[in-house]
Amino acid sequence: MGASDFANLPHIGESVRRKEDYRFLTGSGQYTDDINLANQRCAVFVRSPHAHAAVRSIDTSRADAMPGVARVFTGKDIEGKMNSLPCGWLITSTDGQPMKEPPHPVLAQGKVRYVGDQVAMVVADTLEQARNAAEAVDVEYDVLPAVVDVRDAKSATALHDAAPDNHCYKWAIGDKAAVDAVFAGAARVSKISLTNNRLVPNAMEPRAAIGSYSRANDEYVLYVSNQNPHVERLLMTAFVLGLPEHKVRVIAPDVGGGFGSKIFLYAEDVALTWASKELNCAIKWTADRSEAFLTDAHGRDHASEAEMAMDADGKFLALRVHTDANLGAYLSTFSTAVPTILYATLLAGQYTTPQVYVEVDAWFTNTSPVDAYRGAGRPEATYLLERLVTRCAWDLGLGQDEIRRRNFITTFPYQTPVALQYDVGDYGAAMDKAQALAEVDGFGARRAASEAKGMKRGLGYSSYIEACGIAPSNIAGALGARAGLFECGEIRVHPTGSVTVFTGSHSHGQGHETTFAQVVAARLGIPVDNVAVVHGDTGRVPFGMGTYGSRSISVGGAAIMRALDKIETKAKKIAAHLMEAADTDIEFSGGEFRVKGTDKKVPFGQVALTAYVPHNYPLDKLEPGLNETAFYDPVNFTFPAGTYICEVEIDPATGAVRIDRFTAVDDFGTIINPMIVEGQVHGGLVQGIGQALMENCVYDKDTGQLLTGSLMDYALPRFDDVPNFQLDTICTPCTHNPLGTKGCGEAGAIGSPPAVINAVLDALKDIGVKDLDMPASPSRVWQAIQSARA
């Protein structure tokens, strides 16, 4: 079945209410912290109060003697019994050498490298006893100088012996000589320097895990708030603990948000699993919000310089970029891929720039590890490029829309100079629709009205593109991935005609239980309520790669479609047997099998029952049952794209920025459930606006202490910080997956930050404000206005 046929099936494009919402709204969801096992104890981690220090000694004697304490584990207890945490993506430097990959211990081995680094684990009968004992663990430190700013890392005290200059790798893509030659002869050059601010993920549910062990069968079970349980198990068993995979079961129950921060294998998960055998009991740990701020993998944190070479008419000729990327204290699971493969390859954007050269230096600092956060490299690329494109427009006296239209890609497929090939798109149509929806023609009158009140009004554009469904595995492997990037789906048809779907994708707010059910119901012609979706349990679902990178429907959904193809093929043979026809003469649609050219037909339910009650059944030619599994490895990324337009009003007396209007027009290809897609875009927009206007993770430059370590200091957007969004879509179906889908979960967070900042700068440019880094908080905006006026 082709993508165009699929898009016309019943249930596709319908805003079916989310099946999973009832249990969440009634408090019946089951998150990791809701689970309590027999013979369960509690764990508390002793964490470093210093950003950089040698550990002189750890005295656990007082803690060991306290009531209820089962054991206090330190780095000495695990030494030689497990490996360090692995990095899942190997980057090769420009000199041909592999990246520096220092050990990432589960518990500190002689040194701590950021505030929150785990030094010991206390296990006790109750949480209160564990907390009290943790406070009694006496650790002596020799404090060392710390570095938190990526621009200072090169000259700072080394964090790791393996990286004496704190440099992890230098990576590049593009033809440097060709780009330099274009710049030498360019009529116009625009430049920009900016910082992409560090963010703390702040999922509603903090990280949690329960490790348990059964002596009866020598097997472990880990309950964990995680986005990809099979990957968690693979990394923990094969790389860290050296256990046979079948001896470890990982269960990720309901997960209250992840945004990328729950993709990774964390030290706490390993420590709990290993210690559960040592103590022969289940051990539970749930992070409090302060721990989450300190130890969850953070996002973004780039310092970049970029310049665009143009002809006299504003046609882009070449782009040159240098980025310093902050990796934090250790390499997290996919940290090295974010500022390279997922970032630099998107810097062509929607434009026909013939030459692009990108150079990335990655550094270790005394901060929490940095890894994928909603968008993972794509927001950083879009922010840099779209800020630069708007700067180009203003330098040439052109409108933000005009310079984009002059450089849009209009023919497909299109091979970019940074490796990716876009299969399809219509960027002009997205901008047309966005401008109409945003009522851009009336902006002049609205600006005049604001000026009359003493306010400043600005309009900002962002035309983003992202690469989703990271693939294919062989290309990703050649680029350094240490895992496959396929997905698996199993379709189990029951005798009554109902269906259970087992998927390697994982839902943590995306609505998979509804969307995947719609896909199956549409193909088989059955009610959506007759389809159940199972995910998140390595003991039940086939091996899959989980959910991240907006891949679930395009990769996980495609695997399900392939399994449905197999179901249909076998079901046609059963139907042919029932109607005494050749299976080549059987057609299937609307839940019925028909013999071509006749009125003979049997419903899907009858075929399902016959598969399991094979009376008078050709057992020599056809097996009983109706259950199929399929794997899908994409041949290319998918490429969602769109144009966002933000309109702000600023009070120059206070610097307060109010978003008055925000318009987003996206191309997600085929849309399964418009309501769910709209919700995903809303969430992404709020997160992107949060980064643009208020969110900022700040460390003290001298001590390395996290200054924004709570919601008292780290501002998250609230309902009254955002306007009513104006949303719409266009559709150019993906050409290489059977659903025509592209992915939607990250788009809002990718496209919105540059639209907001471009709008702020548009409002202030007549005052003389030429640049501003995120977040555009009232104090920053006010200071920029005062500096410009001075």
Side-chain angles (χ1 to χ4, degrees):
M1 176 178 288
S4 59
D5 296 325
F6 172 77
N8 293 319
L9 291 175
H11 305 305
I12 303 306
E14 294 181 6
S15 291
V16 176
R17 287 190 176 184
R18 295 193 350 156
K19 300 173 67 173
E20 50 269 72
D21 280 353
Y22 180 81
R23 72 174 186 270
F24 296 142
L25 293 172
T26 58
S28 301
Q30 189 180 56
Y31 300 91
T32 300
D33 191 57
D34 295 324
I35 298 168
N36 289 294
L37 305 179
N39 190 27
Q40 176 179 288
R41 291 187 169 107
C42 296
V44 168
F45 286 86
V46 178
R47 299 189 181 278
S48 171
H50 303 292
H52 198 191
V55 179
R56 291 184 60 189
S57 65
I58 304 175
D59 184 354
T60 66
S61 58
R62 282 200 304 140
D64 288 331
M66 293 180 73
V69 173
R71 182 85 178 269
V72 180
F73 295 96
T74 68
K76 287 184 177 180
D77 295 306
I78 66 170
E79 194 171 3
K81 299 176 182 178
M82 64 180 70
N83 298 317
S84 65
L85 301 180
C87 179
W89 205 294
L90 174 67
I91 296 297
T92 301
S93 288
T94 53
D95 62 3
Q97 295 299 308
M99 66 188 188
K100 307 289 175 41
E101 196 170 359
H104 185 177
V106 171
L107 294 174
Q109 302 281 341
K111 197 176 186 183
V112 289
R113 295 176 174 87
Y114 69 101
V115 174
D117 208 349
Q118 52 279 350
V119 176
M121 180 177 71
V122 178
V123 181
D125 293 341
T126 69
L127 180 58
E128 184 179 5
Q129 290 170 335
R131 284 175 173 166
N132 291 338
E135 291 181 3
V137 175
D138 185 19
V139 186
E140 286 192 52
Y141 298 96
D142 284 333
V143 178
L144 301 169
V147 60
V148 298
D149 191 321
V150 68
R151 288 161 289 204
D152 300 330
K154 184 175 182 179
S155 58
T157 301
L159 276 75
H160 303 279
D161 293 341
D165 57 357
N166 292 322
H167 192 233
C168 183
Y169 59 78
K170 178 185 285 291
W171 182 89
I173 189 170
D175 187 333
K176 184 178 187 302
V179 168
D180 290 345
V182 172
F183 270 89
R188 302 295 296 267
V189 173
S190 289
K191 301 179 181 181
I192 196 167
S193 296
L194 54 80
T195 298
N196 201 300
N197 45 321
R198 179 183 280 242
L199 302 176
V200 179
N202 273 302
M204 188 177 294
E205 178 208 20
R207 288 192 294 120
I210 307 171
S212 66
Y213 173 75
S214 170
R215 284 186 175 173
N217 52 17
D218 190 31
E219 291 182 357
Y220 302 79
V221 178
L222 173 67
Y223 294 87
V224 62
S225 183
N226 185 268
Q227 298 176 215
N228 47 359
H230 271 291
V231 175
E232 169 108 352
R233 182 176 73 166
L234 175 63
L235 293 173
M236 185 165 58
T237 56
F239 291 90
V240 185
L241 295 179
L243 296 170
E245 233 178 321
H246 71 284
K247 289 293 185 180
V248 179
R249 180 181 180 186
V250 175
I251 301 173
D254 289 327
V255 173
F259 312 117
S261 68
K262 294 177 182 174
I263 296 172
F264 323 121
L265 177 63
Y266 285 94
E268 294 89 350
D269 307 345
V270 176
L272 294 167
T273 304
W274 175 81
S276 68
K277 181 177 181 179
E278 294 293 304
L279 298 178
N280 193 31
C281 68
I283 308 173
K284 182 177 186 177
W285 167 79
T286 300
D288 58 31
R289 187 58 63 182
S290 294
E291 273 187 298
F293 268 95
L294 286 172
T295 66
D296 287 1
H298 293 171
R300 317 292 190 247
D301 205 346
H302 285 188
S304 298
E305 296 180 351
E307 48 189 341
M308 185 75 80
M310 298 169 282
D311 67 15
D313 296 321
K315 189 71 175 174
F316 298 158
L317 303 177
L319 172 67
R320 188 161 55 194
V321 175
H322 180 268
T323 292
D324 287 304
N326 195 340
L327 298 174
Y330 301 102
L331 296 181
S332 181
T333 307
F334 293 114
S335 58
T336 52
V338 174
T340 52
I341 308 303
L342 300 178
Y343 164 70
T345 56
L346 270 299
L347 282 166
Q350 298 186 11
Y351 311 112
T352 57
T353 313
Q355 296 286 346
V356 177
Y357 178 73
V358 185
E359 192 173 82
V360 178
D361 283 292
W363 305 89
F364 295 108
T365 65
N366 297 110
T367 61
S368 178
V370 178
D371 210 318
Y373 173 69
R374 198 169 191 169
R378 284 73 55 87
E380 295 91 319
T382 299
Y383 182 67
L384 180 66
L385 183 62
E386 290 304 294
R387 285 284 313 278
L388 178 59
V389 169
T390 287
R391 172 65 59 82
C392 291
W394 291 338
D395 286 351
L396 271 66
L398 297 174
Q400 296 180 66
D401 56 339
E402 177 59 27
I403 198 162
R404 287 171 169 81
R405 290 186 187 277
R406 289 187 186 186
N407 289 283
F408 275 159
I409 298 163
T410 56
T411 58
F412 295 89
Y414 179 82
Q415 178 63 53
T416 75
V418 279
L420 299 181
Q421 184 179 81
Y422 305 158
D423 61 328
V424 69
D426 192 342
Y427 309 143
M431 180 172 280
D432 289 342
K433 186 170 277 192
Q435 288 184 306
L437 200 60
E439 299 179 317
V440 170
D441 290 344
F443 172 72
R446 295 192 295 274
R447 171 173 267 179
S450 293
E451 292 283 351
K453 299 184 297 180
M455 309 291 273
K456 295 294 182 180
R457 182 174 286 263
L459 195 70
Y461 281 74
S462 171
S463 295
Y464 80 91
I465 188 167
E466 58 168 323
C468 297
I470 305 172
S473 290
N474 58 346
I475 301 298
L479 294 173
R482 288 166 164 167
L485 294 165
F486 55 84
E487 196 48 84
C488 182
E490 178 186 349
I491 304 296
R492 189 177 299 175
V493 180
H494 303 294
T496 57
S498 62
V499 175
T500 300
V501 179
F502 297 87
T503 175
S505 298
H506 186 277
S507 179
H508 42 279
Q510 295 88 344
H512 293 172
E513 293 173 39
T514 303
T515 304
F516 286 171
Q518 286 180 254
V519 170
V520 174
R523 276 294 303 271
L524 299 182
I526 61 177
V528 173
D529 286 341
N530 284 12
V531 183
V533 177
V534 176
H535 60 88
D537 184 347
T538 63
R540 298 186 66 190
V541 302
F543 191 99
M545 299 306 296
T547 293
Y548 46 84
S550 302
R551 73 192 300 270
S552 293
I553 192 63
S554 299
V555 186
I560 290 170
M561 284 287 282
R562 285 198 169 179
L564 287 166
D565 290 341
K566 296 180 180 181
I567 291 288
E568 183 176 324
T569 297
K570 183 173 181 179
K572 282 181 175 178
K573 294 179 180 179
I574 298 171
H577 166 69
L578 290 173
M579 293 185 285
E580 299 181 333
D583 59 275
T584 53
D585 291 330
I586 303 298
E587 298 176 324
F588 178 60
S589 65
E592 293 182 327
F593 296 88
R594 298 178 179 85
V595 180
K596 295 177 186 176
T598 74
D599 59 357
K600 286 185 175 182
K601 62 182 180 180
V602 293
F604 177 77
Q606 183 179 348
V607 170
L609 183 63
T610 301
Y612 290 97
V613 187
H615 297 165
N616 191 27
Y617 192 89
L619 292 170
D620 58 327
K621 298 178 182 178
L622 204 56
E623 293 179 354
L626 200 52
N627 182 25
E628 298 288 353
T629 300
F631 289 80
Y632 176 73
D633 198 325
V635 298
N636 193 3
F637 292 89
T638 63
F639 297 100
T643 287
Y644 290 179
I645 301 176
C646 178
E647 192 168 326
V648 302
E649 189 176 60
I650 301 174
D651 183 350
T654 65
V657 178
R658 181 180 67 87
I659 297 179
D660 186 50
R661 297 173 175 224
F662 200 104
T663 301
V665 174
D666 299 285
D667 180 0
F668 297 136
T670 303
I671 291 177
I672 310 298
N673 188 312
M675 179 184 67
I676 289 177
V677 168
E678 184 174 330
Q680 288 287 303
V681 175
H682 277 195
L685 290 175
V686 171
Q687 282 183 278
I689 289 169
Q691 177 177 16
L693 294 184
M694 57 195 72
E695 292 188 50
N696 196 26
C697 178
V698 180
Y699 287 89
D700 184 273
K701 292 197 71 171
D702 296 321
T703 65
Q705 294 293 326
L706 180 62
L707 301 180
T708 52
S710 76
L711 294 175
M712 294 292 289
D713 309 298
Y714 185 95
L716 289 176
R718 300 178 300 180
F719 177 78
D720 58 354
D721 292 316
V722 297
N724 287 323
F725 300 121
Q726 299 295 317
L727 307 184
D728 209 338
T729 59
I730 66 168
C731 180
T732 61
C734 174
T735 60
H736 55 76
N737 74 51
L739 300 91
T741 53
K742 296 183 180 182
C744 69
E746 297 164 301
I750 292 170
S752 54
V756 173
I757 299 300
N758 284 338
V760 170
L761 291 172
D762 183 59
L764 302 178
K765 64 182 181 180
D766 65 332
I767 296 176
V769 176
K770 293 184 177 181
D771 211 349
L772 188 69
D773 271 327
M774 298 186 289
S777 61
S779 62
R780 282 192 177 189
V781 172
W782 185 86
Q783 288 169 357
I785 292 171
Q786 304 316 305
S787 297
R789 284 175 172 167

